[in-house]
Amino acid sequence: MNSTTSKIFATPTNMAQVITIIEGDTSLSETARRDIVSSIRRVATMLDYAPSDLPAHVADLRRKLMLIHPAMFGITAKSLANIKANIGRGLVIAGIVPVGPKPKERSSAWVEFLGHATAKHQAFALSRFVSYCITHGIEPGDVDDGTMAGYRQHLDNTLLTNLPEKVCKETVQTWNCMVKRTDFEFTRLSPATTPSFRAKSLSKYLPDLQNDIAAYRERLAHADPFDMEGPAKPLRPTSIRNIEAHIRQYLDAVTASGHPAESLKELSDIVHPGIVKAGFKVIIERNGGKPPVGLKNIAGTLLGIARHHVKAPDHQITFLKNIKSRMAVSSGNMEFGMSEKSVIRLEQFDDWHNVVRLIALPEELLVRAKDNRDSRRSALDVMYAAGIAILLACPMRAGNLAGLDLERHITTRRQGLKIRYAIRIEGREVKNDKSIDVDLGPHASEILTAYLKEFRHAIADEPGTALFPQQGGNARDPGNFSREITKRIYRETGLRVHSHLFRHLAANLYLNRYPGDYETVRRLLGHKKLDTTMKFYARLSNKAAFKVYDTSVLSHFRGRKDD
C-alpha cells in the first residue's frame, strides 16, 4: 500500500473508507483500482447498502456475501467469484487482511502424501490447507489438532468465499480418509464438535421402563386393533420416532439432574411434577438458559403419556397442561403453525421477481435437459422439475409427493393432442385424513408428460410404478427427495425453499391477492377446520390488508393540493 494512503485511516471500518484508500493508492494500476472499487460498489448495491454502511470486517462481509447468489442478479458464478476476489484484494491493500509470507515449494513429504490422493476432489480439498502448512513450515508428520485450530483462525481472518467451519470439516474428513488409507503414521484430526446434543439410548435404562415405552409405542401405532384407549388414528412412524426422541431427551435430562436411572422403572415415574421440573431445568440450562422451541413438544409428549397411558391423577394432568403453555410462551412458540424460519423464508417472495423465478424453474430445467437428453443428470433435473411443478399446482406434504404412484394416484385424460393429469390420494394416506383430489393444469401436465415419456426411464433400470423411483424401483425417500428439491431450487435461483414452504407460499400468494378468503386456502391446503387456517395465516392476510390500505386509501390522497 502506498505510504500516503496508509495514513488516511488507521483501521478502516467500512467499505467507503476502503474505496478511498484504493483510489489513493498510486502503486496500483488504473485497471486494478477500477476493478476493486467497482466490485465493492456493485456488492453494496446488491445488498442494498451504501458502501459507508458496509462493514470492512472479514466475518461480517463473509456473512453478507453468502446472501448473494448469481442467479438473483443475472451474473455467472465466475463473475461473482471475481467480484469476491477483487474485494479480498482490496481488504489486503487496506490493511484489514494481513499479508502472509510468500508460499514456498512443496516439500518431498507433502508431494509424497498428496500423491496418494485417488481423486481430484481430495487434492483440491487439501490444497488450501497444504499451502497454509507449507507457509508456516509444517510438515505432514507435524499436523495435529493445534494445526487445524491455527488454520481455522487463519480462515476466520481471511476467507470471504466460503464458511470456515465448512472448509475445516471437509479438510479434516479428507485428511483422515487419506491417513487411514495409506501407511503414513500421521495424526488423525478430531472432527469439529457439533452444538446439537445427543441423548443416551433407551438401552441405558431399566428393562421395565424400556418395555413400558415399547408398549406405549405399540398403542400409538395401533398394534392391537381392539385397544379402545389408543388414539383414534394410528400415528405415523415419523411421529412415533419423534415421540421416542422426546422421551430420550427428557430422560437424559432427568438423570443429569440427579435422579438415578435405576429410580425410573416405568412411565408413571417420569410424569411427577418434581421430576418434570428437574428435567426441564436441565434442558433449559443446556440451551443457554432459554427454553428451546421444542420443549413445548416434549411437554406435549409427557401430557399424552400421563393422560392416555399412565392415567395420571387430575392434578398431574393440570400441571402438565400449564407447563406446556408456559414453555410455549417462554420459548416464543405461541404462534400456531408456521415456524419462525418459514416466516423469514416467505419474505423472499415479497419480491415478485422471486415468485416468477420459482414458478418458471420447472420449465427452465426441462428446456435445458432437452439439450442433453442422454445424460442421467438431465433426467434427474426433469424429475425434480416435475416434483416442483406438482408442489406449485398442489402443495402437498413431502411424504405424499415422494410416494406418488402411477397406478394408485395418477390418472390421465386426453384434451385434443395434449395429456392432462389428475392426482387422487385417499385420506388414509394423508396426515390429516383429508383426501387430495386435483386436476393438474396445462403447465404442470406438460412438465409431467415430458418427464414420463422422455426422461423417467433413465432414472432407474426398473422404475416400477413409483412416479419418482429410486434405482431399485421403490419410491424415493421423502426426506432425501425433499432435500434434493431444496438444493435444486437454491442452485438455480438462490431461493431457500423447502418442500413444506410450498404450502405456506400458496396461502401467501392467494391471501395477498384475496385478503381474508381463508375458506379457499382451507380447501387448498386440506385443513379440516377453518380455525386452523386462520391461526396459520392471519398474519399473511393482515399484511395484505395493509397493502390494500396503502394503495386504495393513502394513495388516493397523495399528491393532492388543498383547494
Side-chain angles (χ1 to χ4, degrees), residues 94-208:
I96 296 168
V97 173
V99 181
K102 292 183 178 181
K104 304 174 184 177
E105 290 187 5
R106 292 176 178 176
S107 66
S108 57
W110 278 115
V111 171
E112 183 181 4
F113 177 69
L114 292 174
H116 286 77
T118 56
K120 288 184 178 180
H121 73 268
Q122 290 181 323
F124 179 78
L126 288 177
S127 60
R128 192 194 301 267
F129 178 64
V130 171
S131 296
Y132 168 82
C133 290
I134 293 171
T135 299
H136 290 79
I138 301 172
E139 291 294 315
D142 300 326
V143 170
D144 56 18
D145 287 341
T147 309
M148 182 54 62
Y151 180 57
R152 169 61 188 267
Q153 185 63 49
H154 167 72
L155 294 178
D156 282 337
N157 295 333
T158 61
L159 186 62
L160 286 177
T161 56
N162 207 338
L163 295 173
E165 57 269 28
K166 180 180 178 181
V167 174
C168 288
K169 179 180 179 180
E170 293 174 352
T171 301
V172 168
Q173 290 174 339
T174 306
W175 172 273
N176 288 343
C177 178
M178 288 184 59
V179 169
K180 179 180 179 180
R181 204 168 28 78
T182 61
D183 296 329
F184 297 114
E185 296 183 359
F186 297 153
T187 302
R188 292 194 189 184
L189 301 174
S190 302
T193 56
T194 174
S196 60
F197 179 80
R198 293 186 177 274
K200 294 190 293 289
S201 167
L202 291 177
S203 63
K204 302 296 183 181
Y205 300 95
L206 292 177
D208 287 346

Side-chain angles (χ1 to χ4, degrees), residues 368-376 378-379 450 454-455 457-458:
R368 189 175 66 201
K370 286 185 175 181
D371 292 334
N372 191 12
R373 295 173 184 270
D374 297 331
S375 166
R376 188 169 186 272
S378 293
E454 302 177 49
F455 294 96
H457 69 276

Side-chain angles (χ1 to χ4, degrees), residues 510-511 514-524 527 529-531 533-542:
Y510 187 84
L511 289 172
Y514 304 104
D517 185 4
Y518 295 109
E519 175 59 21
T520 300
V521 176
R522 183 190 73 80
R523 292 177 178 275
L524 177 67
H527 291 158
K529 299 179 180 179
L530 184 63
D531 184 57
T533 308
M534 294 180 69
K535 286 181 178 178
F536 262 85
Y537 301 116
R539 64 192 303 166
L540 301 181
S541 196
N542 292 343

